[in-house]
Amino acid sequence: MQGFTYVKDVAKVGEGGLVTVRGWVYRKRVTGGKIFIVIRDSTGIIQAVVSKDNEPVFKKAEQLNIESSLIVTGHVKKEPRAPGGFEIHVIDIPWSFVGWQFPINEDAAKADSEYLLDMRHLWVRSRMMQAVLKIRSTVFGAIHEWFRGNGYYEVQAPMFITSAVEGGSTLFEVNYFGEKAYLTQSSQFYLEALIFSLEKVYTIAPSFRAEKSRTRRHLTEFWHAEAEVAWAGLEDMFTVTENLISHIVKRVLESNLDDLSLLGRKTEPLENVKPPFPRITYDEAINILNKKGFNLKWGDDIGADEEKALTLEFTQPIHLHHFPENVKAFYHRNDPSKPSTTLSVDVLAPEGYGEVVGGGERIYDYDELISKIRKFNLNPEDYQWYVDLRKYGSVPHAGFGLGVDRLVMWICGLDHIRDALPFPRDMRRIKP
RNA sequence: GCCGCCGUAGCUCAGCCUGGUGGAGCGGCGGGCUGUUAACCCGUAGGUCCCGGGUUCAAGUCCCGGCGGCGGCGCCA
């Protein structure tokens, strides 16, 4: 479309310029002889002024309500009283669509209520959601950019699967033409198959988990950025994840300062994010936490409270590695020099946000994998093709999964993961 | 699976403890105002007080049961 100006560009047109802007009514204030309409588009907000002297247009403007759509033509005026310093003196409203009464008002918006989740199809228009969605877009773009810039191939794995990656109890069952199938919990196993073809692969896809989790960090459908690398080990995962995350944060700081500011997000914690990240072993973490008053025994998992306390000790994301065998899934390779631990790593986001990445070395030896599966009381037959990979030219390899929604949540400084994506799915919500 | 909380106008909530004519703000509608900033001022409409039962002269309020919803833990990304 030609001849239209985005709101953010109106100021650039400058005093006296003629512009036509398309958008929606964000605020409307009527003061007798003048109507002030704050117009919102995808780029920002600007005030338009309609004077009563312009009778037919004034009548049209009177009809508009919140979130009505409109096109206005007018002259740009420098005006210190207007938000943003510029406003549009309206000559004409060549098109408008008067909406029904918009069901979201300031009270509801302030309350951060369940109502806003019911109204999510409309609430995505809010400036807060706009800011988050723009940052999210930067994040996804930066992930692709980093992987492609570092020699990875993007691959796609199926969403319909028949065997579990994580625990079987968290699978969503689907009726697949009369056969039992499930929605995937992770693309990891397929990525492991693909490294024998492409060596370095990544994917960004949804993962589904039927966890009955009612927390601010869990979704039943989340966006998972996963990578798998042949000939790689734990050390490589440290550098890959810290470089990837640093790159994403850098891109957001370059592209989304206005959005971060609108969200009230302080940028200092993000500016600290540079490789290398501190590396803490599980054993060290237990010591640090017990000194802080926790009472953890070796072999205990590090829970939400512990994770939070640990991240508050650092200003950077941290690498937490060498978890005990029993707290990590069967496919993690045990450390030959300390077999009770695994060559595993989690990345914990700072400021109490906690785990955003889980990964490490995978078992590449056939017999080792079979015995580990049995040790976890699982049936090797359920993992037939995954085990099969270890028969034909197996190689040491490592990989990880990044919870993109969790990363966005932390970067945006949000209280709840469901605000990190437009249409969240959790245990109790599948609409809108 | 475990712990805690809530249900009153379109929205956000007060009223419940200590039973006695259902309220406020925002939003809607009508009117006023020629520089508003979540505009303001005046007026006005709007209710299955979640449902059922009980106690009582009288229940939004007290008791019992049910339904619906929310927050957190565990698990994980």
Side-chain angles (χ1 to χ4, degrees), chain A residues 12-32:
Chain A
K12 291 179 201 157
V13 171
E15 177 76 20
L18 186 68
V19 292
T20 298
V21 165
R22 300 178 293 191
W24 293 263
V25 175
Y26 181 66
R27 296 279 184 274
K28 182 184 149 194
R29 293 181 277 269
V30 184
T31 69

PDB file of all heavy atoms in Angstrom, chain A residues 12-32:
ATOM      1  N   LYS A  12       9.112  12.162  11.702  1.00  0.00           N
ATOM      2  CA  LYS A  12      10.130  12.377  10.670  1.00  0.00           C
ATOM      3  C   LYS A  12       9.593  13.222   9.515  1.00  0.00           C
ATOM      4  O   LYS A  12      10.344  13.918   8.850  1.00  0.00           O
ATOM      5  CB  LYS A  12      10.623  11.032  10.118  1.00  0.00           C
ATOM      6  CG  LYS A  12      11.430  10.220  11.124  1.00  0.00           C
ATOM      7  CD  LYS A  12      11.863   8.878  10.519  1.00  0.00           C
ATOM      8  CE  LYS A  12      12.200   7.879  11.613  1.00  0.00           C
ATOM      9  NZ  LYS A  12      12.078   6.487  11.136  1.00  0.00           N
ATOM     10  N   VAL A  13       8.281  13.094   9.271  1.00  0.00           N
ATOM     11  CA  VAL A  13       7.673  13.905   8.204  1.00  0.00           C
ATOM     12  C   VAL A  13       7.808  15.379   8.561  1.00  0.00           C
ATOM     13  O   VAL A  13       8.090  16.227   7.715  1.00  0.00           O
ATOM     14  CB  VAL A  13       6.193  13.524   8.007  1.00  0.00           C
ATOM     15  CG1 VAL A  13       5.503  14.491   7.067  1.00  0.00           C
ATOM     16  CG2 VAL A  13       6.091  12.091   7.483  1.00  0.00           C
ATOM     17  N   GLY A  14       7.593  15.658   9.857  1.00  0.00           N
ATOM     18  CA  GLY A  14       7.882  17.012  10.346  1.00  0.00           C
ATOM     19  C   GLY A  14       6.744  18.003  10.179  1.00  0.00           C
ATOM     20  O   GLY A  14       5.763  17.771   9.467  1.00  0.00           O
ATOM     21  N   GLU A  15       6.910  19.106  10.876  1.00  0.00           N
ATOM     22  CA  GLU A  15       5.946  20.193  10.952  1.00  0.00           C
ATOM     23  C   GLU A  15       5.345  20.547   9.591  1.00  0.00           C
ATOM     24  O   GLU A  15       6.054  20.782   8.615  1.00  0.00           O
ATOM     25  CB  GLU A  15       6.649  21.427  11.545  1.00  0.00           C
ATOM     26  CG  GLU A  15       5.809  22.681  11.633  1.00  0.00           C
ATOM     27  CD  GLU A  15       4.812  22.643  12.786  1.00  0.00           C
ATOM     28  OE1 GLU A  15       5.022  21.847  13.731  1.00  0.00           O
ATOM     29  OE2 GLU A  15       3.820  23.387  12.725  1.00  0.00           O
ATOM     30  N   GLY A  16       3.999  20.542   9.545  1.00  0.00           N
ATOM     31  CA  GLY A  16       3.321  20.994   8.338  1.00  0.00           C
ATOM     32  C   GLY A  16       3.110  19.935   7.279  1.00  0.00           C
ATOM     33  O   GLY A  16       2.325  20.121   6.361  1.00  0.00           O
ATOM     34  N   GLY A  17       3.802  18.782   7.410  1.00  0.00           N
ATOM     35  CA  GLY A  17       3.677  17.738   6.398  1.00  0.00           C
ATOM     36  C   GLY A  17       2.289  17.106   6.406  1.00  0.00           C
ATOM     37  O   GLY A  17       1.621  17.068   7.432  1.00  0.00           O
ATOM     38  N   LEU A  18       1.869  16.633   5.235  1.00  0.00           N
ATOM     39  CA  LEU A  18       0.562  15.985   5.129  1.00  0.00           C
ATOM     40  C   LEU A  18       0.758  14.481   5.226  1.00  0.00           C
ATOM     41  O   LEU A  18       1.549  13.911   4.474  1.00  0.00           O
ATOM     42  CB  LEU A  18      -0.088  16.353   3.788  1.00  0.00           C
ATOM     43  CG  LEU A  18      -1.528  15.878   3.590  1.00  0.00           C
ATOM     44  CD1 LEU A  18      -2.477  16.607   4.539  1.00  0.00           C
ATOM     45  CD2 LEU A  18      -1.964  16.081   2.148  1.00  0.00           C
ATOM     46  N   VAL A  19       0.057  13.845   6.176  1.00  0.00           N
ATOM     47  CA  VAL A  19       0.205  12.395   6.346  1.00  0.00           C
ATOM     48  C   VAL A  19      -1.159  11.718   6.384  1.00  0.00           C
ATOM     49  O   VAL A  19      -2.169  12.328   6.738  1.00  0.00           O
ATOM     50  CB  VAL A  19       0.954  12.028   7.648  1.00  0.00           C
ATOM     51  CG1 VAL A  19       2.414  12.447   7.594  1.00  0.00           C
ATOM     52  CG2 VAL A  19       0.272  12.619   8.866  1.00  0.00           C
ATOM     53  N   THR A  20      -1.140  10.446   6.008  1.00  0.00           N
ATOM     54  CA  THR A  20      -2.314   9.596   6.187  1.00  0.00           C
ATOM     55  C   THR A  20      -1.877   8.407   7.028  1.00  0.00           C
ATOM     56  O   THR A  20      -0.917   7.716   6.692  1.00  0.00           O
ATOM     57  CB  THR A  20      -2.864   9.122   4.825  1.00  0.00           C
ATOM     58  OG1 THR A  20      -3.257  10.279   4.087  1.00  0.00           O
ATOM     59  CG2 THR A  20      -4.067   8.213   5.016  1.00  0.00           C
ATOM     60  N   VAL A  21      -2.563   8.234   8.158  1.00  0.00           N
ATOM     61  CA  VAL A  21      -2.184   7.201   9.118  1.00  0.00           C
ATOM     62  C   VAL A  21      -3.335   6.220   9.273  1.00  0.00           C
ATOM     63  O   VAL A  21      -4.501   6.616   9.317  1.00  0.00           O
ATOM     64  CB  VAL A  21      -1.839   7.845  10.488  1.00  0.00           C
ATOM     65  CG1 VAL A  21      -1.796   6.807  11.595  1.00  0.00           C
ATOM     66  CG2 VAL A  21      -0.509   8.590  10.408  1.00  0.00           C
ATOM     67  N   ARG A  22      -2.990   4.935   9.341  1.00  0.00           N
ATOM     68  CA  ARG A  22      -4.008   3.894   9.560  1.00  0.00           C
ATOM     69  C   ARG A  22      -3.803   3.271  10.930  1.00  0.00           C
ATOM     70  O   ARG A  22      -2.658   2.991  11.304  1.00  0.00           O
ATOM     71  CB  ARG A  22      -3.862   2.784   8.516  1.00  0.00           C
ATOM     72  CG  ARG A  22      -4.014   3.265   7.107  1.00  0.00           C
ATOM     73  CD  ARG A  22      -3.810   2.147   6.133  1.00  0.00           C
ATOM     74  NE  ARG A  22      -2.431   1.661   6.147  1.00  0.00           N
ATOM     75  CZ  ARG A  22      -1.924   0.837   5.247  1.00  0.00           C
ATOM     76  NH1 ARG A  22      -2.671   0.388   4.264  1.00  0.00           N
ATOM     77  NH2 ARG A  22      -0.668   0.439   5.328  1.00  0.00           N
ATOM     78  N   GLY A  23      -4.897   3.042  11.649  1.00  0.00           N
ATOM     79  CA  GLY A  23      -4.706   2.434  12.965  1.00  0.00           C
ATOM     80  C   GLY A  23      -6.009   2.203  13.697  1.00  0.00           C
ATOM     81  O   GLY A  23      -7.075   2.052  13.089  1.00  0.00           O
ATOM     82  N   TRP A  24      -5.881   2.153  15.010  1.00  0.00           N
ATOM     83  CA  TRP A  24      -7.009   1.875  15.881  1.00  0.00           C
ATOM     84  C   TRP A  24      -7.075   2.922  16.996  1.00  0.00           C
ATOM     85  O   TRP A  24      -6.049   3.488  17.370  1.00  0.00           O
ATOM     86  CB  TRP A  24      -6.846   0.483  16.511  1.00  0.00           C
ATOM     87  CG  TRP A  24      -6.956  -0.611  15.497  1.00  0.00           C
ATOM     88  CD1 TRP A  24      -8.061  -1.347  15.218  1.00  0.00           C
ATOM     89  CD2 TRP A  24      -5.928  -1.072  14.626  1.00  0.00           C
ATOM     90  NE1 TRP A  24      -7.794  -2.253  14.226  1.00  0.00           N
ATOM     91  CE2 TRP A  24      -6.495  -2.106  13.831  1.00  0.00           C
ATOM     92  CE3 TRP A  24      -4.598  -0.739  14.399  1.00  0.00           C
ATOM     93  CZ2 TRP A  24      -5.764  -2.785  12.855  1.00  0.00           C
ATOM     94  CZ3 TRP A  24      -3.873  -1.415  13.431  1.00  0.00           C
ATOM     95  CH2 TRP A  24      -4.456  -2.422  12.673  1.00  0.00           C
ATOM     96  N   VAL A  25      -8.275   3.154  17.511  1.00  0.00           N
ATOM     97  CA  VAL A  25      -8.439   4.150  18.560  1.00  0.00           C
ATOM     98  C   VAL A  25      -7.913   3.581  19.879  1.00  0.00           C
ATOM     99  O   VAL A  25      -8.440   2.592  20.388  1.00  0.00           O
ATOM    100  CB  VAL A  25      -9.925   4.543  18.732  1.00  0.00           C
ATOM    101  CG1 VAL A  25     -10.078   5.501  19.916  1.00  0.00           C
ATOM    102  CG2 VAL A  25     -10.453   5.157  17.459  1.00  0.00           C
ATOM    103  N   TYR A  26      -6.854   4.194  20.399  1.00  0.00           N
ATOM    104  CA  TYR A  26      -6.267   3.745  21.657  1.00  0.00           C
ATOM    105  C   TYR A  26      -6.913   4.486  22.823  1.00  0.00           C
ATOM    106  O   TYR A  26      -7.238   3.887  23.853  1.00  0.00           O
ATOM    107  CB  TYR A  26      -4.755   3.990  21.617  1.00  0.00           C
ATOM    108  CG  TYR A  26      -4.014   3.543  22.842  1.00  0.00           C
ATOM    109  CD1 TYR A  26      -3.930   2.190  23.169  1.00  0.00           C
ATOM    110  CD2 TYR A  26      -3.393   4.471  23.678  1.00  0.00           C
ATOM    111  CE1 TYR A  26      -3.252   1.780  24.291  1.00  0.00           C
ATOM    112  CE2 TYR A  26      -2.706   4.057  24.811  1.00  0.00           C
ATOM    113  CZ  TYR A  26      -2.643   2.708  25.118  1.00  0.00           C
ATOM    114  OH  TYR A  26      -1.966   2.306  26.235  1.00  0.00           O
ATOM    115  N   ARG A  27      -7.096   5.793  22.687  1.00  0.00           N
ATOM    116  CA  ARG A  27      -7.801   6.613  23.681  1.00  0.00           C
ATOM    117  C   ARG A  27      -8.598   7.662  22.921  1.00  0.00           C
ATOM    118  O   ARG A  27      -8.194   8.082  21.840  1.00  0.00           O
ATOM    119  CB  ARG A  27      -6.824   7.350  24.601  1.00  0.00           C
ATOM    120  CG  ARG A  27      -5.956   6.471  25.473  1.00  0.00           C
ATOM    121  CD  ARG A  27      -6.702   5.998  26.715  1.00  0.00           C
ATOM    122  NE  ARG A  27      -5.806   5.244  27.570  1.00  0.00           N
ATOM    123  CZ  ARG A  27      -5.575   3.951  27.440  1.00  0.00           C
ATOM    124  NH1 ARG A  27      -6.186   3.248  26.502  1.00  0.00           N
ATOM    125  NH2 ARG A  27      -4.717   3.337  28.252  1.00  0.00           N
ATOM    126  N   LYS A  28      -9.704   8.075  23.513  1.00  0.00           N
ATOM    127  CA  LYS A  28     -10.468   9.162  22.896  1.00  0.00           C
ATOM    128  C   LYS A  28     -10.920  10.097  23.999  1.00  0.00           C
ATOM    129  O   LYS A  28     -11.448   9.654  25.013  1.00  0.00           O
ATOM    130  CB  LYS A  28     -11.673   8.585  22.162  1.00  0.00           C
ATOM    131  CG  LYS A  28     -12.512   9.625  21.434  1.00  0.00           C
ATOM    132  CD  LYS A  28     -13.730   8.955  20.812  1.00  0.00           C
ATOM    133  CE  LYS A  28     -14.896   9.903  20.767  1.00  0.00           C
ATOM    134  NZ  LYS A  28     -16.153   9.188  20.473  1.00  0.00           N
ATOM    135  N   ARG A  29     -10.659  11.379  23.823  1.00  0.00           N
ATOM    136  CA  ARG A  29     -11.083  12.368  24.816  1.00  0.00           C
ATOM    137  C   ARG A  29     -11.822  13.480  24.100  1.00  0.00           C
ATOM    138  O   ARG A  29     -11.322  14.057  23.133  1.00  0.00           O
ATOM    139  CB  ARG A  29      -9.866  12.922  25.560  1.00  0.00           C
ATOM    140  CG  ARG A  29      -9.173  11.885  26.428  1.00  0.00           C
ATOM    141  CD  ARG A  29      -7.992  12.462  27.171  1.00  0.00           C
ATOM    142  NE  ARG A  29      -6.803  12.506  26.355  1.00  0.00           N
ATOM    143  CZ  ARG A  29      -5.890  11.516  26.298  1.00  0.00           C
ATOM    144  NH1 ARG A  29      -6.047  10.423  27.015  1.00  0.00           N
ATOM    145  NH2 ARG A  29      -4.830  11.632  25.529  1.00  0.00           N
ATOM    146  N   VAL A  30     -13.023  13.750  24.575  1.00  0.00           N
ATOM    147  CA  VAL A  30     -13.857  14.771  23.946  1.00  0.00           C
ATOM    148  C   VAL A  30     -13.923  15.973  24.878  1.00  0.00           C
ATOM    149  O   VAL A  30     -14.220  15.828  26.055  1.00  0.00           O
ATOM    150  CB  VAL A  30     -15.284  14.241  23.704  1.00  0.00           C
ATOM    151  CG1 VAL A  30     -16.120  15.271  22.965  1.00  0.00           C
ATOM    152  CG2 VAL A  30     -15.234  12.936  22.953  1.00  0.00           C
ATOM    153  N   THR A  31     -13.627  17.163  24.373  1.00  0.00           N
ATOM    154  CA  THR A  31     -13.682  18.357  25.223  1.00  0.00           C
ATOM    155  C   THR A  31     -14.511  19.441  24.553  1.00  0.00           C
ATOM    156  O   THR A  31     -14.034  20.532  24.298  1.00  0.00           O
ATOM    157  CB  THR A  31     -12.281  18.939  25.477  1.00  0.00           C
ATOM    158  OG1 THR A  31     -11.797  19.480  24.245  1.00  0.00           O
ATOM    159  CG2 THR A  31     -11.317  17.910  25.986  1.00  0.00           C
ATOM    160  N   GLY A  32     -15.734  19.111  24.248  1.00  0.00           N
ATOM    161  CA  GLY A  32     -16.589  20.136  23.664  1.00  0.00           C
ATOM    162  C   GLY A  32     -16.238  20.439  22.229  1.00  0.00           C
ATOM    163  O   GLY A  32     -16.775  19.841  21.309  1.00  0.00           O
TER     164      GLY A  32
END
